[in-house]
Amino acid sequence: MAKTVPFRVVKLKPFVTDATFDGDNENGFLEERIGHSLVVATKDGRLVMFGGRRSDDNRPLTQIIGLDLSRVAAGKSGRYIHLNVAPPKDFSDTEIQIGGQLARHSFHSHVTNHFGQSLYIQGGYATPSDQQLPFWDQHFYRLRLDTLELTNMSSDGPTRQSDPRRRGHTSIKYLDNLYIIGGWGPQADWWRTDIERYSIESDSWTTLRCHSTEGSTPNVAYHTTSLLPDSHRVILFGGYIDESPIFKDRISKADLYPKAATSFEVVPLSNNSKVDLLNESPSAIAKGKWGEAGETVFCGNASWLLNLDTLKWTRKVTIGNIPPPRANHSATMIAKDLLAICGGDCGSHIYNDCHILDTALWMWTKIDCSPSMKAITGHAAVSIHGLLVLLGGRTSVDGPPEMACLSAPISEIITVYKHQKSRTKLQSLLG
């Protein structure tokens, strides 16, 4: 019986050898990227990857790329092609310009989702190639996958009740609606606790005000949200958290920030400290340093459940090997009740682990995937062709700028999970 998940590196090759389509650069490979999005866009399981930026120099990547991973399960390479996308009919210099003809803007920290033959793109950072600083984008776009026509839905579309600018948010497709959840707004310390719902049928936006059994809703960005199969419930995990309502006037800095030699520390919070509002029991947050400026960030490891019918948040108490606090991770449903959390970071600390949440028991199990699992963050993930695929992101190891693609058979992940689940149950029973 396998006891380790065998992640393998997948090579991505162009569909054709024509220079127009053979890669992001003269070497002919796809460049590594973060902040991109990935969706299953066709019935035969082809993928569309959109946007992103280089993690080392923040250079914008403007391509929309089609991916075919149907041969990966047989041990072969994946294939890709650049999609030339026509600009919006109401094109102007202040709006998105993408595709082979007008590649000047890229998006990252945005969200995408698809309905039928249409891919919807919302918010994020837009980075003009001729400017140093990115700007918050407020537009809402639709990309027709059959005609590759891009439409700016914001121009003549319905008025939105909330400011549409946000990044680090997530999107969920439920029935004929698109839900935009969490993230940051453009003003300082503006954590988006509101949820926006877009109706495909009526072409209308509604701002939703949710309530919670805990008295407050999650203030998070760069988290993950996953819709439970055949359900109206959404799982939210992790992300950068708003520390102000947790820490302010509740606990001294001497207690909160013990001296440590590293830039990464896990801070346990006792149950009687009254500061564990957004954290599990045992509660934990993580403090890390982010970027060259060494900006302090706080990550959480709370699991929240949102009922889309009642708009009610519930913080779930989970057991087992709860993942350390993180953001920029991936969350993928690999079975009806199993959610896989892979990678992520807290500042400069990048994870190379994988945890499975059994949503029937609300129990976490850490599965062994070393040494094949790389430390990775800012990637995208998808369950397709019987595989869990991790695409893009950055790693803690310096290397060539080729985009990483890792895959592992879901059947083998579940086999390892079941083997380790029994030990997790025993550890939980023994306290």
Side-chain angles (χ1 to χ4, degrees):
M1 177 183 294
K3 296 183 180 181
T4 301
V5 174
F7 276 92
R8 78 175 184 91
V9 176
V10 177
K11 289 292 184 181
L12 299 176
K13 297 181 179 180
F15 269 103
V16 293
T17 57
D18 187 280
T20 305
F21 302 110
D22 67 356
D24 286 341
N25 53 56
E26 60 184 9
N27 296 318
F29 55 77
L30 292 177
E31 293 182 285
E32 61 87 26
R33 65 199 68 207
I34 60 174
H36 52 294
S37 58
L38 183 69
V39 296
V40 180
T42 62
K43 291 183 179 179
D44 60 354
R46 297 201 178 189
L47 304 170
V48 170
M49 183 173 67
F50 176 67
R53 62 181 174 87
R54 282 282 299 269
S55 62
D56 53 354
D57 58 9
N58 290 329
R59 179 161 55 85
L61 297 169
T62 59
Q63 300 88 354
I64 292 182
I65 295 171
L67 292 155
D68 178 6
L69 303 181
S70 60
R71 305 187 304 170
V72 172
K76 298 182 179 180
S77 62
R79 297 180 295 172
Y80 69 90
I81 190 170
H82 288 192
L83 303 177
N84 285 329
V85 178
K89 294 179 180 179
D90 54 351
F91 165 81
S92 71
D93 286 341
T94 60
E95 293 172 353
I96 186 173
Q97 307 170 41
I98 59 179
Q101 302 93 337
L102 295 165
R104 293 177 57 189
H105 285 65
S106 77
F107 275 53
H108 56 89
S109 305
H110 59 289
V111 294
T112 60
N113 225 312
H114 76 289
F115 293 79
Q117 286 296 317
S118 294
L119 178 70
Y120 291 88
I121 305 161
Q122 163 62 39
Y125 256 177
T127 310
S129 59
D130 57 350
Q131 296 183 21
Q132 290 290 328
L133 297 176
F135 61 88
W136 295 81
D137 192 87
Q138 61 183 347
H139 296 111
F140 181 51
Y141 297 96
R142 182 184 68 200
L143 173 65
R144 292 281 305 185
L145 296 174
D146 50 354
T147 63
L148 294 182
E149 180 182 1
L150 186 72
T151 302
N152 181 0
M153 303 287 286
S154 306
S155 298
D156 300 318
T159 302
R160 297 170 69 166
Q161 299 165 303
S162 299
D163 190 326
R165 296 172 296 172
R166 65 173 85 194
R167 66 184 177 100
H169 50 301
T170 55
S171 68
I172 288 293
K173 180 180 71 172
Y174 174 58
L175 300 178
D176 289 327
N177 298 312
L178 179 68
Y179 293 82
I180 308 297
I181 302 173
W184 283 321
Q187 282 77 28
D189 298 324
W190 184 13
W191 296 80
R192 300 296 298 265
T193 58
D194 59 321
I195 294 178
E196 288 189 282
R197 181 180 64 202
Y198 175 71
S199 169
I200 303 294
E201 181 178 1
S202 63
D203 186 28
S204 62
W205 286 94
T206 304
T207 299
L208 307 175
R209 303 297 178 184
C210 300
H211 60 287
S212 169
T213 56
E214 273 64 44
S216 66
T217 55
N219 293 3
V220 292
Y222 295 93
H223 53 287
T224 54
T225 49
S226 307
L227 183 69
L228 287 174
D230 303 321
S231 173
H232 53 272
R233 299 178 301 160
V234 176
I235 300 174
L236 182 152
F237 176 75
Y240 296 125
I241 64 173
D242 179 10
E243 74 279 7
S244 57
I246 308 176
F247 306 143
K248 188 176 181 181
D249 300 326
R250 300 286 186 92
I251 191 169
S252 69
K253 288 187 177 181
D255 292 331
L256 183 61
Y257 307 138
K259 293 181 179 180
T262 65
S263 61
F264 174 81
E265 59 192 59
V266 174
V267 185
L269 303 177
S270 61
N271 291 331
N272 59 4
S273 66
K274 298 182 180 180
V275 296
D276 57 345
L277 183 62
L278 298 182
N279 297 281
E280 298 291 43
S281 180
S283 300
I285 62 165
K287 172 190 174 187
K289 298 295 183 181
W290 190 18
E292 295 180 358
E295 178 184 356
T296 298
V297 294
F298 296 91
C299 300
N301 68 344
S303 297
W304 290 81
L305 191 67
L306 172 63
N307 186 316
L308 291 175
D309 289 341
T310 63
L311 299 179
K312 179 180 178 181
W313 285 104
T314 302
R315 191 191 65 177
K316 302 300 294 185
V317 176
T318 59
I319 60 175
N321 302 122
I322 301 173
R326 67 192 62 205
N328 294 307
H329 51 285
S330 63
T332 313
M333 296 299 304
I334 59 172
K336 181 181 178 181
D337 297 320
L338 300 181
L339 178 71
I341 300 292
C342 296
D345 69 77
C346 183
S348 59
H349 184 89
I350 302 178
Y351 293 100
N352 67 337
D353 56 7
C354 184
H355 292 76
I356 305 295
L357 174 63
D358 185 330
T359 60
L361 302 174
W362 293 103
M363 183 178 75
W364 288 99
T365 300
K366 182 179 180 180
I367 61 173
D368 187 2
C369 48
S370 60
S372 60
M373 177 73 174
K374 293 182 178 180
I376 190 170
T377 185
H379 56 287
V382 67
S383 170
I384 190 171
H385 302 306
L387 301 169
L388 174 60
V389 177
L390 311 181
L391 190 66
R394 64 185 176 93
T395 69
S396 58
V397 181
D398 294 331
E402 185 168 3
M403 186 172 67
C405 183
L406 300 175
S407 74
I410 290 177
S411 60
E412 297 194 34
I413 295 176
I414 293 177
T415 297
V416 174
Y417 159 73
K418 289 180 177 179
H419 174 75
Q420 296 179 340
K421 176 183 176 181
S422 57
R423 291 188 297 174
T424 302
K425 272 188 174 180
L426 180 60
Q427 291 171 355
S428 298
L429 291 173
L430 295 177

